[in-house]
Amino acid sequence: MATVRQKIVIVDDEPDILELIEYSLKKEGYQVFTAANGQEGVALARKILPDLIILDIMMPKMDGIEACRIMRTMPEFKNTFMVFLTARSEEYSEIAGFNVGADDYIAKPIKPRALVSRINAILRRNTQTETIQDSKLEIADLVIDRETFLVYRNGEKVVLAKKEFELLYLLASKPGKVYTREVILRSIWEDSVVVTNRTIDVHIRKIREKLGDKYVSTVKGVGYKFDA
């Protein structure tokens, strides 16, 4: 069940979809607000300041991609989860969504129980699967200690190079969130050196060699995420 009545905004131009999702999430205990297009959605979200926004991609007046892009430029939505909901199965639409800052992607037709489960998991990402104490992340069988730049797997020390550690820490700080290559480059290497996508791939490969393949997964055409 939702805690402290978390707020969700749903933006979709199909009334039946809005009604179905609204009913399912209200039943779970969330506060739910709806809008019929991207323009209305942005205005509503600025008023409500929700914990999570569900956006259809194909909508009149302003599509979900543009609405998400606009909101990601606003400081008040820096930590807001944004999820795309769409019937489109083309890979490019999913890539476009992640590139403008989406946290997840749910395909139609809607299966209420599966949808609620996914939303619950997304909203728990910052509290359930990670514990941050004294610059440490404790996730599954890993302890990632930012003070010592050491990683412990099942209690055994694993030494990573500095950039490998920083990359792992970034991904593990929000399990399940897809980080695009552009975000990774800005976060880890900033503008101090010239690096390419190949540089990221090499560092990911080294992390997998040292920790195993189960922690970091590739999202084709987009980037990487940490699997708790």
Side-chain angles (χ1 to χ4, degrees), residues 8 25 30 52 54 83 106 114-124:
I8 297 176
L25 293 177
Y30 294 107
L52 182 143
I54 301 174
V83 177
I106 300 174
L115 173 75
V116 167
S117 178
R118 181 79 69 87
I119 296 303
N120 287 342
I122 291 169
L123 286 170
R124 286 198 303 264

Side-chain angles (χ1 to χ4, degrees), residues 128-177:
Q128 178 174 314
T129 57
E130 64 182 66
T131 303
I132 304 178
Q133 296 179 340
D134 300 326
S135 299
K136 288 183 181 180
L137 293 178
E138 298 182 19
I139 309 172
D141 56 359
L142 292 182
V143 175
I144 307 171
D145 189 338
R146 194 170 181 82
E147 290 186 351
T148 62
F149 275 75
L150 290 175
V151 177
Y152 296 87
R153 183 183 58 193
N154 292 321
E156 295 185 4
K157 182 170 68 175
V158 179
V159 179
L160 301 181
K162 184 173 185 292
K163 291 301 183 184
E164 295 166 13
F165 179 91
E166 291 178 351
L167 178 51
L168 177 66
Y169 191 94
L170 173 68
L171 298 176
S173 66
K174 289 190 176 181
K177 176 180 173 60

Side-chain angles (χ1 to χ4, degrees), residues 6 8 22 31 34 39 52 55 68 83 106 125 163 165 178 206 211 216 218 226:
Q6 290 168 301
I8 297 176
E22 181 180 15
Q31 296 183 69
T34 63
Q39 287 183 356
L52 182 143
L55 291 158
C68 181
V83 177
I106 300 174
R125 281 179 184 172
K163 291 301 183 184
F165 179 91
V178 178
K206 290 180 178 179
L211 292 177
V216 179
T218 303
F226 186 93

Side-chain angles (χ1 to χ4, degrees), residues 53 55 57 64-65 68-69 72 80-85 93-106 125 176-180 222:
I53 302 171
L55 291 158
I57 287 187
I65 298 289
C68 181
R69 186 193 65 77
R72 281 303 189 208
T80 303
F81 289 106
M82 298 196 191
V83 177
F84 278 120
L85 180 71
S93 65
E94 183 171 348
I95 292 172
F98 284 127
N99 282 340
V100 295
D103 293 287
D104 214 329
Y105 188 97
I106 300 174
R125 281 179 184 172
K177 176 180 173 60
V178 178
Y179 285 86
T180 66
V222 182

